[in-house]
Structures are given as C-alpha cells and as structure tokens.
Amino acid sequence: MKKTFAVFVCFALSWFAVAANAQLVIEITKSAEDAVPIAIVPFGWTSSGAAPFDVAEVVAADLRRSGRFAPLDPKEMIDRPTQGDQIRFQDWRYLKSDFIVVGKLMPEGQGYAAQFEIYNVLTGQKLGQPSDPRRVTANANNMRALSHRVADIIFEQLTGVRGAFSTRVAFVNAEGTPPKQRYKLVVSDYDGENQRTLLSSDEPIMSPAWSPDGQSLAYVSFEGKASAIYVQTVRTGERKRVSARAGINGAPAWSPDGKTLALTLSRKDGDVDVYTLELNSQVLTRMTFDPGIDTEPSWSSDGKKLYINSDRAGGPQIYEIEVDNPKRATRVSFEGGYNARPRVSPDGKQLAVVTLDRGNYRIAVIDLASKGMQVLSEGRQDESPSFAPNGAVLIYATQDRGRGVLATVSTDGRTAERFTNTVGEVREPVWAPFAPTSTN
C-alpha cells in the first residue's frame, strides 16, 4: 500500500564555516522554587588595569540557567573576597547564601588562569580539594570556555552531576519569508554564544545529528532535487554522501560506537521503513517490516535496541526493536493518541518524545521501566527534543509569537527558559555529546 511521507530535506553546501550574525537572547521562563542560594564573587585580577573578562558573570549565568541555583546579585554583596581566608562567613550567612565561590584571574603564558575555591557558608568548610585552589587555564580567545569549565566544576561539586556548560548545540536557522528563505546549519556554545554557520542554502536543512565523539554531524539534503544523507566533519567542513537511494533518505541517527547510522528509507511501493547502514562497508540492513510508516530511529545507550515512531496501530506511537532480532517490535508508549520523535536519555532510562497533550504538541519523557509519562513543556507546538549529555535538561523547538525559537526544560519539569533568535527562526536543535575538550 502506497504511503506518503513529507520530508523537507534540501540545501546547497557552503564549504567553509563562517561566523553567524544572529544571536540567541535567553529568557528564564520558569525557575525552581527551591533553587540553592549561592554567591559567585567577582574574581580578583592580579595584574594592572581592568580585568580582561568577567568570569564570575558567566559562571553565575550558567548556574542560574541550570535552575538549581539562585546566584546572589553582585550589587547585594557587602564584600569582595578573592580567597578563603578573606571570607567573613557571618556576613554571607546574613545574606542567606548557602555556598560561596571566590577566586582570581591572572595572566599565564599567552593566556590566563582562573583559580577558585568553593565554601559551605554555614560550616565554613572548603569543598573539594583541601589544599590548593582549583585551577583552569585558557588562551585569550577562549575566556568564555574557561568560565563554562569553572561552572562545570562547581555544578558537579555541589550536585554530583557532571556539568554540561562546556558543551555545544547544533540547530537550523531560517531567515526570510517563504518561498524565499535562507537556511543555515549553526553550531554554538550551549548558551547560543560563539555561533558558526556550517552550511547555508536556499533550500531547507533538516535532521542534524551529532556523532558520538562530537566531531561530525549527519544531516539530510535535497541537492539535485533528490534527498541524500551526508556526514560532515565540523572542524574542517569535509563531508561525504553516505546514502542517496531512490526515494526518501531521512532521519539519520548514530549508533553509540559511531560506526553505523540508523535511517529512514522508502521502497518503490511507497512503504517507509527504518534501516541500519554500516558506514565503512555500506552494508544496509532492514529493521522494520510493517506496512505502515516506520521512522525517526533512536539508539539505546548500549546499541542493542532501536526506538522508532510507527503508525502501525493507527496513530504515531513509540516501539522498541532488538537490533539482532528486528522482526519483533514492542510498543513502549501508551498514554495519549500521538507520541513521536523518540530520543533516548544518556543513562538509557528515559525517552523524550513529542506527545499530543490536550490539543497541544508538547515535550514529555517516558520512563522505560514503568512506561509512565511526564509532560514537561507548556507550548502549543513543541518538537524536536534533545537531551543534554548529562541528562539533566532537554532542548527543543517551539513557537513564540508565531516564530520558531529554541527552549529548554529540566527533566523534572521544574525549570525552563527560552532562546529567542535575533534574526530568523530557529528549528531542530540537537545537543552535542560530552567530548574531550581543551580551552587552550
């Protein structure tokens, strides 16, 4: 039986990455009522003149956006200590701060070093390393990266969860009005800073997907009026076409080992199914066999299962498939008549999905053990969820006054924020995995 399947997957290539002009303006839309009070004291500067960068400002913004902390306004600080023996803890207890971070920024070689200490205000106890201050270095061009790393260390020390402030996101930006729009594939820091345009086109761009090592993006194009899947190295811009079969080539998803893509293909009869493609050998293996539409694959964290969106029961629902025994599919979504776009959490315990909630498309998480669902977002047209690599937050696309923007929500639903692009609309975000990074 012939099926129709809308895929907007075309673009023209820009071979070299260029700086993006648009910026993301961040608005916190929901804060946790029990956020921990913390003071991030402006860092001291050990050289002459003014400090070259406000590390504490970026650190405080990172911690505030996490929803777990409520940094004290610097205007309310009655003192500016830069090391532990300068702290008068009674003053900070009066200001109701539970923790305090003090530190210094200093020149080092061709760049800078930030050293800092974390203290429990109630007890006066130093947290983490008992002797020397913690230390992070960076060259002069990477001061935001240095600051994000400081925030990562503080976040992990106080929560036990690895910080994700040093990570990146990719998203699609569309400028202009149809039918004359310009599309860009953009990579930025997690907070929208340091944007780089990797691809630019007069045709739509869709389905970006990070490789497990964070070095490459897979995506779908429609060059020559036929869909194809490409893999592109982010740093160099080098790319390779990996699937250009007749019909649909869509929804690429990387296996955890980075050797295989799951993807959506169509056959001559119009049936749409999920396949796996070994990148080196080009061996293609069919994963779904139902006459309905099977699409949007996502790998389990161990690479042994695929989660797909299928309409085999009459409406879009999520199914689990064993990669070694693909002819058997088990349904995992049961609440609501519409659940699509599954994405697996880093710990493999949850699925993020788009669900139809009281007439609105919203982001929800499904507990894979209990199959229970929790709706997290509050928009009318929310889509494309993607987990942060620490599993604490989801980024997704939504609408704000008719424009496509990005938003985040914590996986417990207690905190949320919106990223409004200053130019054009923003779509299809995907959070990069943790990867070895250097600020130098």
Side-chain angles (χ1 to χ4, degrees):
M1 181 173 63
K2 188 173 182 178
K3 297 285 185 178
T4 60
F5 189 77
V7 182
F8 306 95
V9 289
C10 46
F11 73 93
L13 175 66
S14 173
W15 281 102
F16 299 100
V18 296
N21 295 323
Q23 294 295 320
L24 294 178
V25 179
I26 302 175
E27 173 191 0
I28 297 176
T29 56
K30 186 178 181 181
S31 298
E33 296 180 358
D34 57 350
V36 175
I38 188 171
I40 311 297
V41 182
F43 281 26
W45 170 236
T46 64
S47 188
S48 60
F53 194 83
D54 191 341
V55 174
E57 181 180 44
V58 175
V59 171
D62 285 345
L63 296 178
R64 183 181 297 108
R65 290 181 192 129
S66 76
R68 300 196 182 194
F69 296 93
L72 182 68
D73 189 329
K75 295 178 182 178
E76 299 179 14
M77 297 179 184
I78 58 179
D79 196 9
R80 301 290 177 94
T82 60
Q83 57 192 50
D85 59 9
Q86 298 174 350
I87 301 172
R88 296 193 296 268
F89 289 100
Q90 184 58 43
D91 293 344
W92 299 95
R93 294 184 195 116
Y94 175 79
L95 293 173
K96 301 185 185 303
S97 292
D98 289 357
F99 298 94
I100 183 172
V101 177
V102 294
K104 300 176 183 179
L105 183 66
M106 60 196 71
E108 182 169 289
Q110 299 300 310
Y112 301 95
Q115 65 179 37
F116 62 99
E117 301 166 285
I118 312 167
Y119 286 87
N120 182 313
V121 172
L122 180 61
T123 65
Q125 178 185 9
K126 181 179 176 180
L127 305 182
Q129 300 173 354
S131 55
D132 298 331
R134 295 173 182 263
R135 186 179 180 87
V136 178
T137 62
N139 64 38
N141 296 323
N142 286 320
M143 295 305 292
R144 291 192 66 85
L146 177 149
S147 304
H148 290 320
R149 179 59 187 142
V150 172
D152 284 338
I153 294 170
I154 296 168
F155 186 86
E156 185 169 9
Q157 177 66 61
L158 298 181
T159 68
V161 177
R162 185 175 177 181
F165 306 118
S166 298
T167 55
R168 298 174 294 171
V169 295
F171 56 88
V172 175
N173 176 244
E175 299 178 17
T177 57
K180 295 183 178 181
Q181 282 187 294
R182 187 75 179 168
Y183 300 87
K184 298 177 180 179
L185 179 60
V186 179
V187 171
S188 75
D189 294 349
Y190 96 99
D191 58 0
E193 296 288 339
N194 295 324
Q195 292 188 21
R196 294 175 59 219
T197 298
L198 302 183
L199 305 168
S200 185
S201 170
D202 291 330
E203 301 294 338
I205 300 169
M206 283 193 68
S207 303
W210 286 98
S211 61
D213 62 5
Q215 302 303 306
S216 300
L217 282 165
Y219 53 85
V220 184
S221 80
F222 212 107
E223 299 172 42
K225 305 302 180 182
S227 64
I229 295 173
Y230 288 80
V231 171
Q232 182 166 342
T233 303
V234 173
R235 184 177 61 84
T236 65
E238 180 183 0
R239 71 168 188 164
K240 179 181 180 181
R241 189 175 67 180
V242 297
S243 180
R245 292 157 175 85
I248 294 167
N249 295 265
W254 294 84
S255 63
D257 63 8
K259 297 178 180 180
T260 303
L261 286 179
L263 64 163
T264 300
L265 302 174
S266 60
R267 296 184 294 165
K268 292 182 180 180
D269 61 2
D271 197 20
V272 178
D273 285 293
V274 172
Y275 293 75
T276 59
L277 175 68
E278 293 184 17
L279 293 173
N280 287 336
S281 67
Q282 283 287 299
V283 171
L284 192 68
T285 305
R286 187 175 175 181
M287 289 285 117
T288 61
F289 301 86
D290 190 88
I293 295 175
D294 299 320
T295 184
E296 297 177 339
S298 181
W299 294 82
S300 63
S301 55
D302 60 7
K304 295 181 178 180
K305 299 175 183 178
L306 285 169
Y307 294 93
I308 66 164
N309 170 23
S310 176
D311 68 352
R312 64 186 63 193
Q317 294 294 341
I318 310 304
Y319 292 80
E320 177 186 279
I321 296 172
E322 297 281 349
V323 173
D324 290 339
N325 184 23
K327 291 190 175 181
R328 179 182 177 183
T330 304
R331 183 169 168 176
V332 298
S333 63
F334 295 94
E335 296 185 32
Y338 180 103
N339 292 289
R341 197 62 181 266
R343 292 295 180 264
V344 182
S345 63
D347 64 6
K349 296 180 179 180
Q350 291 181 309
L351 281 181
V353 298
V354 178
T355 189
L356 185 59
D357 175 51
R358 293 167 291 178
N360 302 292
Y361 292 97
R362 290 174 173 157
I363 307 304
V365 289
I366 297 174
D367 183 279
L368 287 172
S370 69
K371 303 301 187 290
M373 176 185 288
Q374 179 185 3
V375 177
L376 301 177
S377 68
E378 300 176 350
R380 300 185 63 182
Q381 192 70 37
D382 303 336
E383 57 188 11
S384 302
S386 176
F387 279 97
N390 63 2
V393 179
L394 283 159
I395 193 168
Y396 61 96
T398 187
Q399 295 283 317
D400 180 32
R401 294 181 286 273
R403 293 179 64 239
V405 300
L406 303 185
T408 63
V409 62
S410 60
T411 48
D412 58 13
R414 298 190 305 161
T415 64
E417 60 187 13
R418 183 181 298 117
F419 296 64
T420 304
N421 213 44
T422 56
V423 179
E425 299 188 23
V426 191
R427 306 167 183 172
E428 296 216 65
V430 57
W431 213 312
F434 285 127
T437 58
S438 173
T439 58
N440 292 301

